[in-house]
Amino acid sequence: MYCNKNNYRMNNARFAISLHILTLLDKAKEELLSSDYIAGSININPVLVRKELSNLRNHGFVASKEGKNGGSYLAKPAHSILLSAVYLSVRQNNLLGTSKNTPNPHCPVGKQINTHLNNLYEATEAALIKELSGKSLAEFSMKFD
Amino acid sequence: MYCNKNNYRMNNARFAISLHILTLLDKAKEELLSSDYIAGSININPVLVRKELSNLRNHGFVASKEGKNGGSYLAKPAHSILLSAVYLSVRQNNLLGTSKNTPNPHCPVGKQINTHLNNLYEATEAALIKELSGKSLAEFSMKFD
DNA sequence: TAAAACTGTAATAAAATATATTACAATATA
DNA sequence: TATATTGTAATATATTTTATTACAGTTTTA
């Protein structure tokens, strides 16, 4: 048994990696896939795959079995995994990039910019999530020959 | 006269910076703002502001005057600058992060994943752009006291 | 029961990217 | 002609991402 706290930071390739993993697991049906096998398909380091699997597990998308002949598998039907949920599981930052800047508080624009940017970002991200929520892993996976 | 080719890479804080700049210019009305002044409001390095101004200029949003007492100003009315256009002007990468990976071509999933990811990204980004196209710089700028 | 093949995670290193800084030529103004 | 400013290149620093190394904990199976 392990207890972990992962701390990624950005919106990088994580969505792509997670979706790749989930698609492989869906295609594998009952069969368990090892992180090494998955890493070989994505062509990234196996440790990154395990970290991503850890996150996907925490969100209830996959389950893993430890030990010899262990591996991972989908923990719920692919049609019940919406791409919006996958996005939200890897999302850390605001989509359009948060300015970690502390704008000049003496400037009337600088003083309020972060509030207004955040409002804009929320609306924008909501549109994106809505779009993704119209697609499930099953639909995505089905596109592959 | 200068001739430049800028080569940023990522979707970082550029959207926020550009919108901050544009808002300042809109508020300044006829007055020219120097890159040092703008940098002071955003609280970033003036050279970054000039690079961003260069990009905004290339896209026809702003114009600049060189020499003493020079500076920048909006090149077109704020209501005609859609936030989607600003987004597109700073956009470089795919929104959800392109995997620069070369997935395993021997894996049936790896072989096709980039095609399907790109299709998904296009649809997703289209939704985001549509949302942003409903807002103009004028509307954004108006929110400030 | 011990070797083997896994997972889980921490720690560290390397690579990539973003941001800041320095420098200076070109340009316009006063 | 001095000054303030833009435009841009080159370089340095900081931050973030990705890879690597290492190893303890789990299961399976010989």
Side-chain angles (χ1 to χ4, degrees), chain B residues 90-107:
Chain B
V90 299
R91 175 196 186 286
Q92 222 84 12
N93 272 343
N94 236 317
L95 194 62
L96 297 175
T98 348
S99 68
K100 286 137 291 186
N101 286 307
T102 35
N104 189 336
H106 301 302
C107 167

Side-chain angles (χ1 to χ4, degrees), chain A residues 113-133:
Chain A
I113 189 89
N114 280 340
T115 305
H116 297 314
L117 278 177
N118 284 337
N119 291 344
L120 175 63
Y121 286 174
E122 272 182 37
T124 307
E125 193 166 42
L128 175 130
I129 289 169
K130 189 178 172 195
E131 169 70 22
L132 285 176
S133 71

